[in-house]
Amino acid sequence: MEISARKPDERPGVTRRTALGGALTLTLAGCNSMGVELPGVGQPAAAVPRPAGAPLVGETLGAGPVRVGMILPLTQNGAPSPVGVSMRNAAQMAIDDFAAPYITLMIQDDHSSSDGAAQAAQSELGAGAELILGPVFANDVRAAAAKSAGRPMIAFSTDVSVAGPGVYLLSFLIENYADRIIQYAGSTGKKSFAIMAPQSDYGNVAAARFQQDAANVNAQVVVSARYSAGQPATAAQEVAAVTGQIDGLFIPEQAEGMPAVASALATNNVKTQYLGTGVWNDARVLKLPQMQGAWFSAPDNSGFNALAQRYKAKFNSEPTRLATLAYDAVTLAAALARNPAPDRFSERALTSVSGFNGADGVFRFRADGTNERGLAVMEINDGAAKVISPAPRSFAAG
């Protein structure tokens, strides 16, 4: 599913593979302090007429009384965008599975542009949208948020700089990957690490977070070796020089960059526990001989795989990895829409301590707009990813 279009969070080095794997719950069975719990897929519910008022805008799905906007990059440079189309189709699946009686979803194309996102947000809010889902790209989220008029947004960027009160990110965040992998490594007794990271926004964020996490768990980072894209040789030499002092090496590199990194590490005879993020859940990494035995944090694969199977049967094509995010966003909107106004999409409802359980496992929003997700730890073995530490199925209160 390689996409050459703009990256979801506008940051160099952050690809659409940031969101990987998950345990499927075809309904969003999250319970929170508002008492939200969805019924099972297919449970009968009477259709409700669409609300009166301002004319609907964009493509409309569902027939519920609560209007929800959705802004997606359906096209880019005049051509269909695989990511946007895939997310639109997943939204259709969520409507068909459960959401139709509760919301009317208005979907508009932002044409992969900030101006398009701002115009879409303004028109959807004018049409009575109480909540906006999307956009995908960071700059587009900023533009749409500027028009939000105090209405909440659930966006899909992985750039935490666009998050804030009322702008919640449903995406898989680099920070969560780093938190989970060092927590697991520490639980196995590893306390001394090296970092080998590309000079990219993804590498910068991941390396900084891992360094911070190490300090928080009384571990140490002996060296942080950085390298330009595609040129890991010198960094591998830096790591080799401290191999005897470390018991883990964190490598926040994209799948396409890992063959060169693995080769450089092998050339320098670096043998330690390799640690990575969910972008490693890719055949280009899983099949590398040097990466067998490596660990990485990611959602469990089963959720996306199950949704993808249904998606292919319905649309005769493969979904991109962000499809589950659109599915969960629409289902969550429908769950909360069953609560009375004006609090159904309030901060209290959206930032439930208990969180929600979606296609990619449990998640909850923080008041600052970022999220926390239940992630598994995978081990690469025989060219496949095997769960060695399951994702949590619920959050501890608090």
Side-chain angles (χ1 to χ4, degrees):
M1 62 178 188
E2 184 65 27
I3 305 298
S4 59
R6 289 195 308 170
K7 299 176 177 62
D9 64 357
E10 298 277 337
R11 296 184 293 171
V14 184
T15 73
R16 289 181 171 83
R17 288 190 178 85
T18 299
L20 294 163
L24 184 65
T25 305
L26 293 181
T27 61
L28 192 66
C31 290
N32 64 16
S33 58
M34 299 289 289
V36 176
E37 183 171 0
L38 266 67
V41 172
Q43 176 169 323
V48 180
R50 283 178 176 159
L56 296 165
V57 297
E59 178 188 14
T60 58
L61 303 175
V66 178
R67 295 186 179 188
V68 174
M70 190 171 209
I71 304 171
L72 296 174
L74 298 174
T75 61
Q76 184 172 41
N77 299 323
S81 163
V83 165
V85 171
S86 184
M87 295 182 80
R88 180 263 167 218
N89 291 344
Q92 174 74 70
M93 292 174 66
I95 291 288
D96 293 346
D97 284 345
F98 169 73
Y102 305 108
I103 64 173
T104 294
L105 186 68
M106 300 178 289
I107 304 177
Q108 292 199 93
D109 182 12
D110 64 18
H111 305 287
S112 304
S113 72
S114 298
D115 287 345
Q119 292 169 9
Q122 191 165 27
S123 65
E124 289 178 352
L125 292 168
E130 298 182 32
L131 172 72
I132 298 291
L133 309 179
V136 175
F137 304 120
N139 286 340
D140 303 348
V141 175
R142 290 189 184 95
K147 303 291 185 179
S148 67
R151 298 292 176 89
M153 295 176 58
I154 297 176
F156 305 116
S157 171
T158 62
D159 186 343
V160 297
S161 71
V162 304
V167 180
Y168 304 95
L169 301 183
L170 186 58
S171 48
F172 290 93
L173 303 180
I174 304 167
E175 293 83 353
N176 285 342
Y177 285 139
D179 295 349
R180 179 65 166 111
I181 196 63
I182 197 169
Q183 174 269 328
Y184 178 75
S187 74
T188 68
K190 301 184 184 304
K191 292 294 183 182
S192 183
F193 303 98
I195 298 171
M196 182 174 169
Q199 294 283 3
S200 66
D201 282 3
Y202 190 102
N204 294 343
V205 172
R209 185 60 171 232
F210 191 89
Q211 189 111 29
Q212 176 185 320
D213 286 341
N216 291 340
V217 298
N218 296 318
Q220 63 173 333
V221 174
V222 176
V223 66
S224 182
R226 308 301 300 276
Y227 58 91
S228 300
Q231 301 178 31
T234 301
Q237 292 170 7
E238 290 182 58
V239 173
V242 299
T243 298
Q245 304 172 46
I246 62 173
D247 45 25
L249 172 61
F250 181 55
I251 314 170
E253 175 61 276
Q254 303 292 320
E256 56 265 34
M258 281 305 299
V261 170
S263 177
L265 291 170
T267 297
N268 287 276
N269 199 33
V270 175
K271 296 180 179 179
T272 188
Q273 180 64 58
Y274 297 155
L275 309 172
T277 71
V279 295
W280 283 9
N281 204 354
D282 185 294
R284 290 172 293 181
V285 181
L286 302 179
K287 302 298 184 183
L288 290 171
Q290 303 95 325
M291 300 307 295
Q292 304 309 299
W295 298 340
F296 64 90
S297 53
D300 187 273
N301 289 325
S302 59
F304 174 72
N305 291 342
L307 189 67
Q309 184 177 5
R310 295 199 307 129
Y311 183 105
K312 187 173 182 178
K314 185 176 181 68
F315 298 106
N316 197 32
S317 61
E318 298 288 346
T320 61
R321 191 54 193 85
L322 298 191
T324 48
L325 299 185
Y327 184 94
D328 280 356
V330 172
T331 313
L332 174 58
L336 297 179
R338 300 189 307 161
N339 287 330
D343 296 326
R344 52 181 155 240
F345 301 128
S346 67
E347 179 180 346
R348 184 167 74 94
L350 287 165
T351 60
S352 158
V353 171
S354 298
F356 310 95
N357 184 25
D360 286 305
V362 294
F363 66 92
R364 61 183 174 186
F365 297 117
R366 299 186 176 101
D368 65 1
T370 62
N371 71 59
E372 181 181 356
R373 281 189 174 272
L375 300 176
V377 175
M378 313 279 194
E379 182 176 73
I380 301 175
N381 265 315
D382 297 325
K386 175 184 177 182
V387 174
I388 56 174
S389 179
R393 296 189 176 185
S394 64
F395 293 109

